[in-house]
């Protein structure tokens, strides 16, 4: 990572955005939903209203993270529309698990490992990483259980609630705090790191199947 850029931002944080063209928030959301629906085109993706954020549609790292989040919101909504151990539920859950795991790993490398070194954002970074671990455990637990059971859907509903809370907190609080301590150069570089790591993770990640939760 460019040490000169990070050293500079330690004393002169910037809230400037990328100079690349910005798409509208609605366009960015539609793109994210379309990516989710490509997995199971016949399943509706009703994500409803989403938390307000100034990042949606930005061409930088934070805009990419929010677009991923909208894609995950759509996948969660679509799984909620499926029945039993249908092929659609299996495909959508596999895609959700790969997306969440690869996104979390890339986000931790590109963003949280960087801002964790700043005392003003250390707690935010630790909180986000801790929640990633909890979500990963919930995914592994779901993967190990009978997808056709009512109990599976109850556990899935719990995962959905936890994840939606997690990404709302990131978008409205933690990303805002992190951006204040990164220069535009930092953000562009970290965007490249994120994309490279997520692509590699999604291609190689295995979905763990292990019952980890008693309730």
């Amino acid at each position: 990572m460019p040490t000169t850029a990070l050293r500079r931002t330690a004393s002169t944080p910037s809230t400037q955005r990328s100079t690349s063209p910005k798409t509208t928030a609605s366009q960015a959301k539609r793109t994210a939903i379309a990516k989710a629906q490509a997995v199971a085109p016949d399943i509706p993706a009703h994500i409803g209203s989403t938390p307000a954020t100034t990042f949606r549609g930005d061409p930088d790292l934070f805009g990419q993270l929010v677009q991923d989040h909208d894609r995950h919101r759509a996948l969660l909504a679509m799984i909620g529309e499926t029945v039993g151990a249908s092929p659609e539920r299996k495909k959508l859950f596999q895609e959700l698990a790969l997306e969440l795991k690869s996104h979390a790993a890339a986000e931790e490398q590109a963003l949280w490992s960087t801002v964790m070194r700043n005392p003003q954002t250390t707690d935010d970074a630790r909180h986000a990483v801790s929640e990633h671990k909890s979500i990963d455990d919930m995914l592994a637990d779901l993967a190990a259980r009978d997808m056709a059971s009512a109990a599976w859907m109850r556990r899935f509903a719990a995962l959905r609630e936890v994840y939606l809370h997690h990404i709302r907190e990131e978008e409205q609080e933690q990303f805002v705090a992190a951006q204040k301590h990164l220069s535009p150069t930092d953000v562009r570089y970290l965007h490249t790191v994120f994309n490279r790591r997520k692509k590699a993770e999604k291609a190689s990640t295995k979905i763990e199947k292990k019952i980890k939760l008693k309730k």
Side-chain angles (χ1 to χ4, degrees), residues 41-53:
D42 294 332
I43 306 297
H46 302 304
I47 70 173
S49 60
T50 50
T53 173

Side-chain angles (χ1 to χ4, degrees), residues 28 55-68 175 191:
F55 298 117
R56 184 172 283 109
D58 274 7
D60 62 17
L61 171 66
F62 296 107
Q64 178 67 59
L65 295 175
V66 172
Q67 187 172 94
D68 270 14
F175 291 170
H191 191 190

Side-chain angles (χ1 to χ4, degrees), residues 79-151:
I79 292 172
E81 297 286 340
T82 59
V83 177
S86 63
E88 291 81 7
R89 179 175 289 182
K90 291 177 181 178
K91 286 194 298 182
L92 287 165
F93 179 73
Q94 179 175 354
E95 177 67 9
L96 177 72
L98 291 175
E99 267 292 312
L100 265 55
K101 291 170 75 68
S102 59
H103 173 94
E107 186 180 87
E108 288 175 17
Q109 180 181 357
L111 180 62
W112 299 128
S113 66
T114 301
V115 302
M116 191 176 288
R117 297 196 291 271
N118 187 319
Q120 296 183 64
T121 51
T122 296
D123 288 345
D124 283 338
R126 287 176 175 168
H127 180 70
V129 172
S130 174
E131 289 192 340
H132 287 172
K133 176 63 169 64
S134 297
I135 291 164
D136 196 58
D137 286 347
M138 296 177 83
L139 286 169
D141 189 80
L142 278 167
R145 295 181 184 271
D146 179 9
M147 194 173 281
S149 69

